[in-house]
Amino acid sequence: MAISLSNMQALPFTTNHNLSLRSENPFPVTFSTRNYPFKSSEVGALTIKPTSSEVQVLSSDALTSSRVIEEPWKETGVEYGPTMKERAENELVDRWKEIHGEDDWVGLLDPMDSLLRAELIRYGEMAQACYDAFDFDPFSKYCGSCRYLRHLFFKGLEMEDYGYDVTRYLYATSNINLPNLFRHSRWPKVWSKNANWIGYVAVSNDEMSKKLGRRDISISWRGTVTRREWVHDLMDFLRPVSDEKIPCPDHNVKAESGFLDLYTDKVQDCKYCKFSAREQILTEVKRLLELYHNEEVSITITGHSLGSALAILSAYDIAETGIHIGSSSQARHISVLSFSGPRVGNLRFKQRLERLGVKVLRVVNVHDMVPKAPGLVINENLPPECLKFAQWSPWSYCHVGVELALNHKNSLFLKDTNDPACAHNLEAHLHLLDGYHGKGKRFHLTMGRDIALVNKSCDFLKDHYQIPPCWRQDHNRGMVRSKDGRWIQEQRPVLDDHPDYTHHHLRQLGLPH
């Protein structure tokens, strides 16, 4: 059947992002704010042409100037939009403990529970915000910092409707060799020689707390800024967590030494890492728990890649330290929703984490190498007899929690590539979550996430969608025109008005100071 495109007025290419479709090509894209944590000015020109197969699925009713053409990859009969969102919010009030692992996600993963999918994507987007807000550019004097002030974080990323307020930025430093983790500016004078911004602590506002059924403290960690080689940098040995003053009664509970260093290192003469990431986390969580002591509170920690390891380590530390236990001796629920994370500790670490009641759900891509390390040889896949014998090795690792395994080859939108960065990409994981319905079930998208997000920082979508690879970019790379007409680096503050915790706060927690 021949189809004329001359009368077609609008084609919604992806959810909430309209294409102005005219008789000539290319088709300019107009971005709205929904589902995109960035400004349209940060994006280069995108051109998209519908393929013949996509045009053939259009109904004849859609070929009038007053009709909207259905998105070619939407499944008919799938509920989208506010109705689905409102139903999920109402259901979450009653089911949030189940969704956050109260019963270890039994019966929720196969088939995939729709509410769990929505929650995983929501927290995954909060972890993705760590990348979107990070200044990667070595030609920027602020390289390695966050591009937004704390109180403008979600507004700057156009994520105000997430319903969270950032209460603390997290900075980390390290004395180990991590060239692919930290980014530093080429400018002679930089905002910090030792620290990098590595995440944030946020808390749900009053309106969002009503929808969630509790006050939620969310901690998000970012991963490495170059995501291919970091595993090789962190192929290190295990060491007892008690060596870093974490109050663990079992000296045989061990974690990867690089993770521990990053989590506990500090530099006394640096205003950003005068206190370690561990001290920043514990003091802020304790402060928030005291602030909302009369409410039901949950602690949800998320992260991608190396951030996943830090999420698990910080969740364990909060539980081991006991700051999540309120005045009524009732422990607040702690859950970790991690993405493409490595192994963190040994078998005793896993057993201790479970005994403390921390719930961990790990979302992985089966073709991603990062979750397979460290511990490529000695790990939880060994027979129990061998693992029991080998657990005393300094290279014997064990995954924690429950695994949700996804396969990017099941998505019709992704191309076959051997690029490890694609298999490891966080936006690709969120895309796979959107279409996953259970083992052996057909992949189809249900949340209406924009597939263009997959190519935000990689080249993973099939070429015929004509989404440019690595298309996300900062507007003019931070260059602005001065009053005298010269182009100069935009001036922005770095040190935010975060609480300046003192040794008194650390003493209250029983931490060394």
Side-chain angles (χ1 to χ4, degrees), residues 241-261:
V241 298
S242 57
D243 286 357
E244 297 301 330
K245 310 302 180 183
I246 297 176
C248 178
D250 186 352
H251 191 69
N252 292 313
V253 173
K254 300 178 181 180
E256 201 274 338
S257 60
F259 301 152
L260 280 174
D261 283 339

Side-chain angles (χ1 to χ4, degrees), residues 5-169:
L5 300 179
S6 58
N7 293 325
M8 297 165 62
Q9 296 298 315
L11 170 62
F13 175 62
T14 48
T15 301
N16 299 312
H17 302 275
N18 295 328
L19 280 171
S20 176
L21 189 59
R22 298 176 301 208
S23 57
E24 70 274 17
N25 286 323
F27 305 97
V29 179
T30 303
F31 291 92
S32 74
T33 60
R34 185 64 178 168
N35 287 338
Y36 267 83
F38 49 81
K39 300 174 182 177
S40 58
S41 59
E42 296 171 338
V43 186
L46 293 179
T47 59
I48 303 165
K49 304 175 185 178
T51 64
S52 57
S53 61
E54 289 168 347
V55 172
Q56 290 173 5
V57 303
L58 305 178
S59 65
S60 58
D61 291 339
L63 299 180
T64 65
S65 59
S66 60
R67 297 276 184 161
V68 176
I69 301 174
E70 194 68 19
E71 297 174 8
W73 46 80
K74 272 190 179 179
E75 295 292 326
T76 58
V78 176
E79 188 179 8
Y80 287 83
T83 303
M84 184 179 186
K85 181 179 179 181
E86 290 170 3
R87 188 182 70 182
E89 289 173 350
N90 294 333
E91 192 177 354
L92 187 60
V93 172
D94 300 321
R95 293 186 59 202
W96 74 265
K97 287 186 178 180
E98 177 192 6
I99 294 300
H100 282 256
E102 184 179 42
D103 299 319
D104 295 315
W105 294 281
V106 174
L108 299 181
L109 303 180
D110 190 16
M112 186 69 181
D113 184 270
S114 59
L115 185 57
L116 175 59
R117 177 195 293 111
E119 281 292 273
L120 285 172
I121 290 177
R122 184 169 69 87
Y123 282 102
E125 289 173 340
M126 293 179 74
Q128 177 64 41
C130 292
Y131 292 118
D132 295 335
F134 187 73
D135 192 336
F136 291 86
D137 191 355
F139 289 96
S140 167
K141 65 178 66 176
Y142 308 106
C143 181
S145 70
C146 180
R147 295 192 292 119
Y148 306 103
L149 292 175
R150 175 173 59 84
H151 64 282
L152 298 175
F153 182 80
F154 286 117
K155 182 178 181 180
L157 294 172
E158 299 187 0
M159 297 171 65
E160 298 101 318
D161 60 342
Y162 277 64
Y164 283 76
D165 298 316
V166 176
T167 64
R168 170 81 192 194
Y169 275 169

Side-chain angles (χ1 to χ4, degrees), residues 314-360:
S314 56
Y316 160 76
D317 192 15
I318 291 171
E320 189 73 89
T321 308
I323 63 174
H324 67 307
I325 300 176
S327 56
S328 61
S329 299
Q330 182 178 2
R332 275 75 169 220
H333 187 83
I334 303 175
S335 61
V336 177
L337 306 177
S338 80
F339 299 86
S340 57
R343 297 183 179 93
V344 179
N346 62 356
L347 178 61
R348 298 293 280 269
F349 178 85
K350 166 185 165 65
Q351 293 170 343
R352 182 64 181 171
L353 191 76
E354 292 173 348
R355 194 174 300 119
L356 291 169
V358 177
K359 303 298 183 178
V360 180

Side-chain angles (χ1 to χ4, degrees), residues 403-445:
E403 180 177 277
L404 172 57
L406 308 174
N407 187 340
H408 72 248
K409 293 188 177 181
N410 292 334
S411 172
L412 300 176
F413 306 99
L414 306 180
K415 60 187 177 184
D416 190 12
T417 176
N418 294 321
D419 186 349
C422 291
H424 187 56
N425 184 269
L426 177 54
E427 284 288 3
H429 279 69
L430 301 183
H431 166 75
L432 295 177
L433 276 173
D434 193 356
Y436 176 78
H437 295 269
K439 295 178 181 178
K441 292 182 170 56
R442 185 169 60 92
F443 182 96
H444 65 274
L445 302 180

